[in-house]
Amino acid sequence: MGSDNHPVEQGTRIFGIEWAPLNVSFKRRMETFSAFFWFFCVLTGVFVNFFCLYYILCTAFWPAGILYVVWIYYDRRTAHTGGRPINSIRKFKLWEYFRDYFPISLIKTADLPADRNYLFCVYPHGVLASGAVLNFATDANKFERLYPGLQAHLLTLSFNFNLPFSRETILGLGGCSVAEKSIMNLLGPQRTGKAGVLVVGGAAESLKSEPGTYRIVIKNRRGFVRVALKAGAHLVPVISFGENDMYDQCRGPTIQKIQNLFHKYLGFVPILPRGRGFFQYSFGLVPHRRPINTVVGKAITVPRISNPTREDVDIYHQKFMAEIETLFNENKGKYDAKGEAAELIME
């Protein structure tokens, strides 16, 4: 847990539980709070709809609720037309504590000229895709200084932009819908200097998240290549080393059946993560304090093809698979605890 320049306090084990020391600094406490806050926001976002519906139907605040629902409907196209990033949200101080908690780093391996557009394809998803969110949806690691002229937009499910309140945060972070029309609006030839950020493996890959492993869903995922060809956006492989180390998962046949049903009908998967707590290191919902290093590879040049064939897609899909494997092998010795023994499994 942690790195040489980011030590972890030694706890005291009582009754089989490793308790945190009492003399933890305020900064460290804030880092832990920020990590829990991120998990809490993701966990509760889906359920805010139900609370909003309750206030509309059952309380004296129903006029305000109705007005907000009208606003959501009026604003529904924003997620498909380039988003609405807000600097005060992207630069919120809590993101710096969140960065330092693990810590999360952003590593550049090649220049990406701003006179074109890119589709960043991030692996693995992990439980919360924290590396992708911190590095590309906030200003904590200075993405725009590393890549002058580029503006990153994290792509997420259209469903998330129907959720009251949390949708405003996602839009403020520069988020856009992952729907094809949204990507075409963002990365099409009418714009330059845009980087769409897609965590390709999605919910299916989050189920495969286990500490020390890199099992990624890629072999049958070709849609991202097809839309990149239609937009003429160059593909950029990205690996977040350590993303899967944040949580263990509670597993079992019944849990898996429920998860599969959610994935099939709702497009997301409820995961039962096992991390640590505020005051002890043995169990809880706070992610483990382990480093995440997000390595951005070189761009794969992609032509603009308005109606790509299956053969076109297969050619660039194979190129991308080769590049993501090369990026992993070139950097695993630097950024993974297993070093050269780390293995990338493509499924």
Side-chain angles (χ1 to χ4, degrees):
M1 297 172 66
S3 59
D4 293 340
N5 61 353
H6 198 79
V8 173
E9 304 90 347
Q10 295 298 314
T12 302
R13 186 168 291 276
I14 303 174
F15 300 120
I17 299 174
E18 186 179 1
W19 296 92
L22 296 176
N23 60 341
V24 175
S25 68
F26 173 78
K27 181 177 184 296
R28 299 281 283 195
R29 291 295 188 204
M30 284 299 297
E31 290 170 4
T32 304
F33 170 76
S34 70
F36 174 76
F37 180 76
W38 167 237
F39 176 87
F40 178 79
C41 288
V42 174
L43 178 69
T44 58
V46 177
F47 301 103
V48 171
N49 267 338
F50 298 103
F51 288 106
C52 186
L53 184 64
Y54 170 78
Y55 278 105
I56 291 173
L57 296 179
C58 306
T59 75
F61 299 104
W62 66 266
I66 293 292
L67 286 174
Y68 185 52
V69 170
V70 170
W71 162 252
I72 292 175
Y73 178 78
Y74 174 80
D75 193 48
R76 68 192 184 281
R77 294 187 180 89
T78 302
H80 299 280
T81 55
R84 187 173 55 238
I86 300 172
N87 278 336
S88 59
I89 295 179
R90 290 175 57 87
K91 295 181 178 181
F92 188 43
K93 179 67 176 178
L94 203 64
W95 294 120
E96 295 180 14
Y97 288 118
F98 184 66
R99 174 198 63 200
D100 295 341
Y101 173 79
F102 297 95
I104 298 175
S105 302
L106 179 62
I107 296 98
K108 173 183 176 179
T109 64
D111 290 331
L112 298 176
D115 60 351
R116 62 206 71 176
N117 295 322
Y118 302 91
L119 184 60
F120 284 37
C121 303
V122 184
Y123 285 97
H125 184 285
V127 172
L128 297 176
S130 296
V133 172
L134 190 285
N135 284 312
F136 304 117
T138 83
D139 192 52
N141 274 337
K142 309 300 180 186
F143 171 84
E144 293 181 9
R145 288 189 188 176
L146 280 177
Y147 299 97
L150 280 188
Q151 185 179 49
H153 294 265
L154 193 65
L155 303 173
T156 185
L157 296 174
S158 298
F159 171 79
N160 291 326
F161 297 98
N162 296 326
L163 299 176
F165 308 111
S166 60
R167 73 179 298 276
E168 315 303 340
T169 301
I170 297 171
L171 286 169
L173 290 170
C176 292
S177 168
V178 76
E180 181 175 317
K181 65 178 181 179
S182 171
I183 297 177
M184 292 300 297
N185 283 332
L186 180 68
L187 304 180
Q190 70 275 14
R191 300 174 187 252
T192 57
K194 297 292 184 179
V197 181
L198 177 63
V199 187
V200 181
E205 194 172 273
S206 66
L207 289 174
K208 302 176 185 295
S209 171
E210 293 182 8
T213 66
Y214 293 90
R215 294 174 62 195
I216 66 174
V217 177
I218 188 171
K219 289 184 176 180
N220 293 319
R221 294 283 171 102
R222 289 176 168 80
F224 72 97
V225 177
R226 182 176 59 82
V227 75
L229 286 166
K230 291 183 71 173
H234 302 316
L235 291 167
V236 179
V238 182
I239 295 276
S240 273
F241 289 94
E243 184 71 55
N244 285 347
D245 296 339
M246 293 170 50
Y247 287 105
D248 299 296
Q249 288 193 47
C250 300
R251 299 186 183 277
T254 302
I255 293 173
Q256 186 172 0
K257 287 180 181 178
I258 294 172
Q259 289 172 329
N260 290 337
L261 286 173
F262 268 80
H263 186 210
K264 180 178 179 180
Y265 293 107
L266 297 178
F268 70 93
V269 178
I271 291 174
L272 297 178
R274 186 170 64 249
R276 51 157 288 190
F278 273 106
F279 305 108
Q280 47 78 24
Y281 301 139
S282 298
F283 59 89
L285 297 178
V286 181
H288 294 299
R289 190 187 284 266
R290 293 168 183 164
I292 298 173
N293 293 285
T294 301
V295 183
V296 181
K298 63 182 180 180
I300 302 168
T301 302
V302 172
R304 184 169 179 261
I305 305 175
S306 58
N307 190 23
T309 64
R310 176 62 183 264
E311 183 180 2
D312 294 328
V313 173
D314 285 346
I315 288 171
Y316 287 94
H317 186 256
Q318 289 298 320
K319 286 185 178 181
F320 180 82
M321 288 179 61
E323 284 297 327
I324 199 81
E325 186 172 23
T326 298
L327 184 68
F328 181 84
N329 289 331
E330 287 179 349
N331 291 279
K332 62 183 181 181
K334 304 174 189 174
Y335 303 116
D336 188 78
K338 289 184 177 180
E340 295 300 328
E343 183 180 4
L344 181 68
I345 301 173
M346 299 186 184
E347 299 181 352

